[in-house]
Amino acid sequence: GSGLVSTLHDYINFMQMLINGGEWRGRRIINEDTLHLMRTNQLPQGVHINFPDLPIPGTGFGLGFSLLEQPQPDYPTGSRSEYGWLGAAGTAAFIAPNSNVAGICFTQRMPAGFHPYIEEFSCLVYQSAPDGDANSRT
């Protein structure tokens, strides 16, 4: 895998900028229209992310993020419109505007792809939300 290489601190700052609607420390970094496109599904109607070893039902793709459009019945109720991405070595990050939560889980585990602890981590993040959405993701 190749792509973004950064520090956890910088990625947290990046996520905070996204949560702030494209602003960081009082400066506009990403235009609001651009951020809207980043969080809008760009795939054709009926097409979803589907990796050979990782089908992600109900998930589209914006300009840089996966977008959870149709949460599965066992997903937290506030996960609709969740956006983020999984990276190499077991990294995962997501922002869930409807639940007012975000999560970052950075590990160093290969091969790249989905690992069960990411689901557990995500569930714990949703449970910590002010509404305490206790629905399981497993």
Side-chain angles (χ1 to χ4, degrees):
S2 63
L4 177 67
V5 176
S6 186
T7 65
L8 179 58
H9 181 265
D10 285 344
Y11 205 86
I12 289 171
N13 289 341
F14 173 69
M15 294 280 288
Q16 187 63 58
M17 181 269 305
L18 295 172
I19 291 167
N20 292 341
E23 291 189 9
W24 177 243
R25 296 186 177 172
R27 295 184 60 204
R28 170 114 348 244
I29 305 299
I30 297 177
N31 180 288
E32 291 178 72
D33 293 336
T34 302
L35 187 56
H36 176 74
L37 288 172
M38 292 171 75
R39 297 185 297 201
T40 301
N41 189 14
Q42 303 297 316
L43 299 178
Q45 183 72 24
V47 175
H48 297 102
I49 297 174
N50 189 15
F51 297 112
D53 61 339
L54 179 63
I56 310 175
T59 302
F61 195 78
L63 301 179
F65 304 112
S66 61
L67 307 165
L68 186 55
E69 297 183 308
Q70 294 292 105
Q72 298 303 299
D74 58 343
Y75 275 37
T77 55
S79 64
R80 178 182 281 281
S81 299
E82 173 187 296
Y83 63 98
W85 196 242
L86 302 172
T91 60
F94 69 91
I95 297 171
N98 293 340
S99 291
N100 200 30
V101 297
I104 299 174
C105 182
F106 278 19
T107 65
Q108 295 298 303
R109 180 177 175 189
M110 293 297 279
F114 188 79
H115 300 291
Y117 58 82
I118 292 174
E119 288 245 359
E120 293 171 22
F121 170 77
S122 179
C123 185
L124 291 171
V125 170
Y126 277 101
Q127 288 175 4
S128 73
D131 295 346
D133 191 342
N135 288 351
S136 171
R137 287 188 78 169
T138 58

